[in-house]
Amino acid sequence: MEKFINITLKVWRQNGPKDKGRFEIYKLNNITTDSSFLEMMDILNEQLIGEGKEPVAFDHDCREGICGMCSLYINGHPHGPDDDVTTCQLHMRKFKDGETITIEPWRSAAFPVIKDLIVNRSAFDQIIASGGYVSVSTGGVPDANAIPIPKADADEAMDAASCIGCGACVAACKNGSAMLFVSAKVSQLALLPQGRVEGARRAKAMVAKMDELGFGNCTNTGACEVECPKGISLSNIARLNREFLCAKLQD
Amino acid sequence: MSNLFCSSVGKKLVMSISGLFLIMFLFVHLLLNSFLLIPDGGEMYNAGAHFMATNPMIKVMEPVLAIGFIVHIVYALILSHQNAKARGNVAYASGNKTQGVSWMSKNMLILGVTVLAFLVLHIAHFWVKMKVTGHDLLAHTTIKVGGVETEVENAYALVNYTFSQLWVVIVYAIAAIGLAYHLMHGFWSAFQTIGFSNNVWRVRLNIIGAIVAWVVGLGFAIIAVAQHLFFQA
């Protein structure tokens, strides 16, 4: 049922990459619990513009949970307190009347803040560019049964492919590690015949790029898996380790 | 192959292999310690200690074990330093409220330092006295090894004396429980790192890891407590 709540926002403001940054407090009244978190942010920005202040900069695009553009570390969780959703799919019904909501950017050395709540996630693009693809055209859609693929493998590949590259895993990790992201990208291709061919090269290249960009080392805490909006499994990290170590041993 | 150990996964592999090696050592050590529970005045324990002191295989393994410890500790420090750097120096103001992440997995360094602090004390208590300085209590005693009268160091007397001190028993018991928590995460994590895990084995490894952790942790603790309570002359 629709309700209206009054909330206090504690928002990270930072003018640019070199600026020190600080928290600012904003009060918002009569926010409908039916609105999404980003709609609430839009209301905040309209209020700020009305007051002649600069609106809060934050990333967003599709607003239907599939593009991976939205971020925000909300009340101690990447993508906020709801499970298995991105910030754009988080709704205000998850918050109580009178609650103070703390909104911060992703914190990781490899994701420097650009402005306010926007961080530079191009490190992920660089990791993908280093090997997260199949380098030959695999042609048009083949006959369904021309290449037999076990159902379990197809399912696991599809689950890994649901990673949207939002960076919540890095934001949640106490080590700033990108292993869940890289392992999902390596797994989705390694599990299928078209991607299998370049599996060894891909695992080596992507791990090398990940290390070079200053992401941390995985200590298997599993925080990434818990906070991942797409529920990417930690078993992908075991597969990445396997792929990488086997590839290295063959060198 | 050459730059394997420069990579993040390679460094974690070193942690994994050295950790599993140290777990194997713990089991050998626990087996020897379990002889302390036999009420034979320490004859069996002294025989075991004599075997360990004279066996050429053990002589080879002793420096390997020391290297295992050093490698595990040095790599832990390198990895922790890199991870702190990767994390950045700004902490989240709203903290970390992620549910379902085990406390030990987030505090392996602290637990490791606890075990290391104990290890220093433990080496001073036994290894230094047995191998370097010697001790009055280690005066030779004669036992039967396979029916043959053999003159051996009375390691049992030193152990028995050390565990007569209450503070030693308390420190050892706390350290053993710290070790158990370290292994609660360390065991499964070691297998995850070498790639031997998936959704099925993750559950199994966690259960086996918990059993390993508490057999080792409680095993050492119980033996120390039993020595203090039931084996004092």
Side-chain angles (χ1 to χ4, degrees), chain B residues 116 144 147 197 209:
Chain B
L116 176 62
K144 276 193 172 161
S197 181

Side-chain angles (χ1 to χ4, degrees), chain A residues 233-246:
Chain A
S233 165
L234 221 52
S235 64
N236 289 304
I237 295 182
R239 183 178 297 104
L240 170 61
N241 290 333
R242 207 151 61 223
E243 291 280 331
F244 178 84
L245 293 171
C246 289

